[in-house]
Amino acid sequence: MPLDELAAEALAGPPVADLDSTEGVEAVTPSDVQHAEQTAELLETEADEAEQQAVIGTVAPADATSSRERARFARLHAHLTAEQRRRHLAAERIRGLDEVGKDAVRHAAKLKGLRDSTLADLATINELLTTMRKRITDWNTELAAIARRGEELHPDQIPPSGVPPATSAHVSADRHGGVIVRRRIIRYIDQTADPAGLAAAIGIASGELPAHDPDQRLILGENGLITPLGADPTGSWQRRIDAGAIRELTADERDAWYRGEIIDWSAHSHA
């Protein structure tokens, strides 16, 4: 029975289906496949020409037949080479996956050491965090004791300026809020802050209170409350001032109010 393409491909060997079947698979490159294909195409072209010449009588029929046979075997060889290339790629794929599996197993063997190192690091981190938290707790506890002493001395109420009055040595104390010394406030450190944010939490535990704007206009309302005058784009506030429904504090009254003095309607005569 003449050899056909399927039979030629079968000569390459059984299908590559597992690691065992990769043994002995011949290495075939893309160049090998290309060379076999080009050879087959060339011999097929030569056979076509030989057959044409045999028909017109310029080439012996036996030579044309021989040329066609060479072309047929070259084509079968090209099919065989292509199949060998496919088997080679299949074998490389399976062998490559086998190496991936082995590398993964070898890599997994590092997990115990990694876990032990991580547990040791976590223990160190927890010790450091405990130490950090204790320092902050100690600081807050000491501040609370200082604030409690101040509370027991009954400091005067803080005026609108935010600066404790001279009658309290410019000091105010609150067990819950901390201590104010003139414009400086000493607060408790936020113990719930994330470890990465502890430095920032410590940084804001002491700072200056914002000073009032000396140019801020203050209004005394009908109810006796003093409030800042905000933007007045429609002039409605100014009309109420002009009508006497509310009035603006003078510079002296404003300074007195910031000091904590009481400002009422009787303190100023206005037309």
Side-chain angles (χ1 to χ4, degrees), residues 37-62:
E37 181 64 27
Q38 289 174 344
T39 300
E41 290 176 354
L42 176 62
L43 291 178
E44 285 170 345
T45 299
E46 292 177 354
D48 291 342
E49 293 175 354
E51 287 175 343
Q52 292 175 8
Q53 295 298 320
V55 170
I56 62 177
T58 57
V59 170

Side-chain angles (χ1 to χ4, degrees), residues 215-271:
D215 297 324
Q216 174 68 64
R217 299 174 66 185
L218 299 176
I219 299 300
L220 175 62
E222 302 96 321
N223 55 7
L225 295 178
I226 294 175
T227 57
L229 175 61
D232 189 21
T234 64
S236 61
W237 287 103
Q238 190 60 52
R239 286 194 293 273
R240 295 181 66 193
I241 293 173
D242 295 340
I246 58 176
R247 73 177 180 84
E248 182 177 358
L249 270 60
T250 65
D252 289 341
E253 287 176 329
R254 190 168 59 235
D255 291 341
W257 182 74
Y258 280 127
R259 290 193 301 270
E261 297 178 19
I262 297 175
I263 305 296
D264 55 28
W265 287 91
S266 65
H268 177 75
S269 175
H270 59 287

Side-chain angles (χ1 to χ4, degrees), residues 26-262:
E26 183 180 356
V28 178
T29 67
S31 296
D32 294 333
V33 176
Q34 183 180 19
H35 178 71
E37 181 64 27
Q38 289 174 344
T39 300
E41 290 176 354
L42 176 62
L43 291 178
E44 285 170 345
T45 299
E46 292 177 354
D48 291 342
E49 293 175 354
E51 287 175 343
Q52 292 175 8
Q53 295 298 320
V55 170
I56 62 177
T58 57
V59 170
D63 292 338
T65 300
S66 177
S67 180
R68 177 57 66 189
E69 277 298 295
R70 285 196 300 273
R72 187 174 76 85
F73 281 111
R75 174 55 59 191
L76 292 174
H77 177 69
H79 281 294
L80 171 64
T81 304
E83 180 59 24
Q84 289 174 327
R85 173 63 181 168
R86 283 191 290 271
R87 293 184 78 250
H88 170 67
L89 290 175
E92 286 296 295
R93 171 182 168 275
I94 292 176
R95 283 194 288 259
L97 287 171
D98 181 55
E99 283 302 313
V100 168
K102 290 176 180 177
D103 287 344
V105 171
R106 284 192 291 267
H107 191 60
K110 302 175 184 177
L111 283 173
K112 184 181 183 304
L114 179 62
R115 180 178 181 276
D116 292 343
S117 298
T118 300
L119 288 173
D121 290 343
L122 285 173
T124 301
I125 290 171
N126 287 332
E127 289 176 7
L128 291 173
L129 285 174
T130 299
T131 301
M132 290 164 58
R133 299 291 186 191
K134 184 178 185 305
R135 284 199 297 262
I136 292 171
T137 299
D138 291 347
W139 194 91
N140 285 345
T141 300
E142 188 173 349
L143 177 60
I146 295 171
R148 188 178 297 107
R149 283 167 43 208
E151 269 191 339
E152 292 171 354
L153 295 172
H154 307 293
D156 294 315
Q157 185 175 357
I158 299 174
S161 65
V163 178
T167 53
S168 294
H170 300 296
V171 171
S172 179
D174 179 351
R175 248 178 302 183
H176 306 291
V179 178
I180 297 176
V181 183
R182 295 187 182 274
R183 300 211 67 84
R184 184 180 182 186
I185 181 168
I186 297 93
R187 305 180 181 88
Y188 295 103
I189 299 171
D190 181 8
Q191 293 178 279
T192 65
D194 183 87
L198 281 177
I202 294 170
I204 63 174
S206 176
E208 293 293 311
L209 292 170
H212 66 271
D213 182 358
D215 297 324
Q216 174 68 64
R217 299 174 66 185
L218 299 176
I219 299 300
L220 175 62
E222 302 96 321
N223 55 7
L225 295 178
I226 294 175
T227 57
L229 175 61
D232 189 21
T234 64
S236 61
W237 287 103
Q238 190 60 52
R239 286 194 293 273
R240 295 181 66 193
I241 293 173
D242 295 340
I246 58 176
R247 73 177 180 84
E248 182 177 358
L249 270 60
T250 65
D252 289 341
E253 287 176 329
R254 190 168 59 235
D255 291 341
W257 182 74
Y258 280 127
R259 290 193 301 270
E261 297 178 19
I262 297 175

